[in-house]
Amino acid sequence: MQGSNRSNQLQEDKQYLHQFGYAQELLRDMGGFSNFAISFSTISILTGAVSLYGHGLLYGGPGMMGFGWPIVSLFVLLVAASMAELASAIPTAGALYHWAAILGSKRWGWYTAWINLIGMVGIVAGIEYSVATFADPLLGASFGYESTTTTTMILFAITLLIHGIFNHVGIKLVAKLNDFSAWYHIGVVLILFVSLAFFTKDKLQPVEYLFQVGQTFSDKPYLLAFLIGLLQAQWTYTGYDASAHTIEETVNPRVRAPWGIFSAVAFSFVFGFIMLAMVTLSIKDAGAAVGESNPFIYIISQALGGTFGSVVLWLVTLAMFFCGCSGITSFSRMMYAFSRDNGMPLSRHWAQISKKYRTPAKAIWLVVILSFALALFDSIMKMINPDTSYSTLAFLTAVSVVGLYVSYGIPVYLKLVAEGKGLFKQKHYGPWNLGKWSKPINVLTLLWIVFISILMIVPPNQNAAYALIGMFVLLLIMDYGYYKKNFQGPEAALNVSMEEILRREAQYTEEQGENFKA
């Protein structure tokens, strides 16, 4: 898209955003690949699948990789398709929150936004903590110090600080990092595959080992243990709404953002399975691996040797580093969009755009602070109850899975309700839609979200349930103390009914003649 064509598209995107009452404040400079890359990098198979590899192996054994990953992936593809459809219809940076407010009510939108923010605190904290847990022992081996909880927390804080600076500087830098990160992730997976296939010190396990079920190293019955182990795959597939949160910075967003959401999950499915298969087939002693503090590091070191294994592990850690940068980008855009509608206390600060960098600078730094605070909360809880069996990472990831997926499900549910009432019709769909398959896919999406939300907070991960309950209680208090007095909702920008928003959207689409081709 060059010259006048690009200018025309940018003008068209700007006019379409005006249908929702918002000015084009953010710099719209992201192409289709950059939009895909931010979700692909936030999913980051080299973060979720790797950092929780030991969790999956502990509970589900090798069969967790052969069966657990594909099962979760297929259902998440349905969730992604449902979300992509809504992104095409309502392309604003508020994403889930705006979808819920327009399809349901401003109260639905307010709760969706806060639940999504809770999940995003968990995902950013989980990603950045993963970077620290991998980098700290590697640095310790290089510089001769012992990796401890304290050194990990220090490295966690430093990583957050660096990513805060990167995001503050601007979307162009972040977009370039995300573009590189997408190719980097694919490249590292291929390096892992080739290294383990041809340079492992011993023979690989037979392929049947990958699909071996019935073995668990936990004290749970295998079926329950297998279900608990699904957290490994399910947390990996979080954050792909990043394509929707950066939609006001994407050119031709009604096509590119939906494809960014869906294709990020699809590519992660394929490359994630390739990686997990090779790592699992490289296991020499699964029992010994789960007994280590970091089973993934142990398996790679055993398979490839000290020096070569360390190089590969550093490549993986750098991929996690890129993932953390993407997570802060997505989180800050959601906070910015919510704050410009006065959805948070001190909203005028979090909605403020840096004049120099055109980024939501204050929102970015609030993201950094909240993410550190959540991990600190878990550290305090462990001091109070040192016998807890779940790791900090499992706690953070469970919080993010429940928060994010509940917020993913609310607008999908409201769309089905609006369709049943005749408020949301075929003409309201964007150019990316599921057609006749929309309703059945939406229903399966909701069933899966209910299932995994319950699964993620059952013992032994009850700390995540306690944290979420505390957050929801706080949310109810804020409903009566803040919401009623301050929040007017995204439709306030148009000062018209939600039905009118949908009508204007449909009218605009018809006037453009559906000229939104990839």
Side-chain angles (χ1 to χ4, degrees):
M1 190 182 299
Q2 300 294 329
S4 61
N5 288 339
R6 180 180 173 85
S7 297
N8 291 338
Q9 183 64 60
L10 288 171
Q11 184 62 28
E12 187 176 283
D13 297 341
K14 179 180 178 181
Q15 289 175 357
Y16 196 79
L17 182 61
H18 289 172
Q19 304 303 306
F20 298 91
Y22 295 112
Q24 182 69 56
E25 295 182 285
L26 298 169
L27 178 63
R28 195 180 288 275
D29 194 55
M30 295 179 72
F33 183 80
S34 293
N35 185 276
F36 153 80
I38 192 168
S39 281
F40 186 69
S41 296
T42 305
I43 290 173
S44 182
I45 53 177
L46 291 169
T47 301
V50 167
S51 57
L52 284 178
Y53 185 87
H55 176 89
L57 188 65
L58 170 66
Y59 285 97
M64 179 56 64
M65 317 306 159
F67 288 112
W69 181 266
I71 289 170
V72 171
S73 299
L74 290 172
F75 278 103
V76 172
L77 277 170
L78 301 182
V79 179
S82 295
M83 290 172 60
E85 189 174 54
L86 287 171
S88 184
I90 308 172
T92 62
L96 309 158
Y97 142 60
H98 282 179
W99 307 343
I102 291 172
L103 295 168
S105 68
K106 68 176 184 178
R107 181 174 247 110
W108 275 113
W110 192 80
Y111 273 98
T112 300
W114 273 105
I115 294 169
N116 187 245
L117 287 173
I118 289 169
M120 284 191 162
V121 172
I123 192 173
V124 171
I127 293 168
E128 303 289 45
Y129 197 81
S130 295
V131 176
T133 56
F134 267 71
D136 195 34
L138 292 172
L139 287 171
S142 299
F143 294 100
Y145 70 86
E146 182 181 356
S147 175
T148 65
T149 301
T150 301
T151 58
T152 299
M153 285 296 289
I154 292 171
L155 195 56
F156 170 60
I158 292 171
T159 305
L160 279 168
L161 180 64
I162 293 171
H163 286 155
I165 294 171
F166 283 178
N167 274 274
H168 187 124
V169 168
I171 190 61
K172 286 189 175 182
L173 171 63
V174 172
K176 288 177 181 178
L177 287 174
N178 286 329
D179 289 355
F180 175 74
S181 175
W183 290 112
Y184 182 85
H185 272 74
I186 294 172
V188 173
V189 169
L190 294 177
I191 289 171
L192 267 172
F193 179 87
V194 172
S195 299
L196 294 172
F198 298 104
F199 300 105
T200 185
K201 295 194 295 183
D202 299 303
K203 289 178 61 178
L204 296 173
Q205 297 279 3
V207 174
E208 303 85 65
Y209 183 74
L210 182 63
F211 302 98
Q212 179 180 304
V213 295
Q215 183 183 35
T216 179
F217 300 94
S218 70
D219 59 355
K220 310 291 182 185
Y222 184 74
L223 179 58
L224 176 60
F226 183 88
L227 293 176
I228 293 173
L230 291 178
L231 174 63
Q232 178 200 8
Q234 192 63 63
W235 182 60
T236 304
Y237 289 115
T238 49
Y240 47 90
D241 52 324
S243 290
H245 292 308
T246 53
I247 207 163
E248 290 181 30
E249 295 159 276
T250 301
V251 181
N252 194 12
R254 299 187 75 201
V255 171
R256 288 175 169 173
W259 275 120
I261 293 169
F262 187 79
S263 58
V265 173
F267 275 83
S268 296
F269 177 7
V270 174
F271 283 98
F273 185 76
I274 291 171
M275 177 191 69
L276 290 173
M278 288 308 302
V279 172
T280 303
L281 295 178
S282 302
I283 294 175
K284 303 300 177 287
D285 185 341
V290 298
E292 294 292 319
S293 59
N294 192 316
F296 188 89
I297 289 179
Y298 176 81
I299 292 167
I300 298 300
S301 298
Q302 289 289 304
L304 299 178
T307 303
F308 188 20
S310 294
V311 171
V312 172
L313 288 168
W314 270 116
L315 292 174
V316 171
T317 304
L318 186 56
M320 295 181 182
F321 182 83
F322 288 131
C323 176
C325 190
S326 302
I328 290 179
T329 305
S330 177
F331 190 173
S332 61
R333 270 38 176 200
M334 169 58 195
M335 189 178 290
Y336 155 77
F338 191 35
S339 296
R340 71 181 174 184
D341 292 325
N342 206 33
M344 297 177 63
L346 303 176
S347 282
R348 65 186 180 87
H349 292 288
W350 321 130
Q352 196 173 94
I353 299 294
S354 166
K355 292 182 180 179
K356 181 176 181 180
Y357 297 110
R358 292 187 70 183
T359 58
K362 291 183 178 179
I364 288 167
W365 290 109
L366 182 58
V367 165
V368 170
I369 292 169
L370 291 175
S371 300
F372 182 80
L374 185 61
L376 186 62
F377 165 80
D378 183 69
S379 296
I380 295 170
M381 290 289 287
K382 282 190 169 59
M383 291 179 189
I384 297 172
N385 182 20
D387 295 328
T388 183
S389 61
Y390 247 46
S391 65
T392 296
L393 189 57
F395 162 77
L396 296 173
T397 53
V399 168
S400 68
V401 166
V402 177
L404 289 174
Y405 273 87
V406 170
S407 69
Y408 292 174
I410 290 173
V412 176
Y413 164 75
L414 293 173
K415 170 184 168 288
L416 289 173
V417 172
E419 282 183 313
K421 293 179 178 179
L423 297 176
F424 192 84
K425 302 177 181 178
Q426 187 63 39
K427 64 182 180 180
H428 296 129
Y429 283 93
W432 200 106
N433 64 80
L434 299 169
K436 65 180 182 180
W437 293 101
S438 180
K439 286 184 180 180
I441 288 175
N442 291 170
V443 170
L444 288 172
T445 289
L446 294 176
L447 290 174
W448 180 252
I449 288 173
V450 170
F451 171 70
I452 58 102
S453 295
I454 295 171
L455 191 62
M456 294 301 108
I457 58 175
V458 299
N461 202 20
Q462 61 270 24
N463 274 2
Y466 299 151
L468 287 163
I469 290 170
M471 291 175 184
F472 284 125
V473 169
L474 181 61
L475 198 50
L476 288 172
I477 294 171
M478 286 184 60
D479 188 341
Y480 292 95
Y482 180 86
Y483 166 82
K484 289 185 176 180
K485 297 178 182 178
N486 298 280
F487 185 66
Q488 297 180 354
E491 71 272 19
L494 289 172
N495 196 29
V496 293
S497 67
M498 287 174 286
E499 289 86 349
E500 177 65 10
I501 292 176
L502 293 173
R503 187 195 67 76
R504 290 187 182 186
E505 178 194 2
Q507 180 182 357
Y508 183 81
T509 298
E510 290 171 2
E511 288 172 354
Q512 295 300 312
E514 292 290 357
N515 292 323
F516 299 98
K517 304 299 181 183

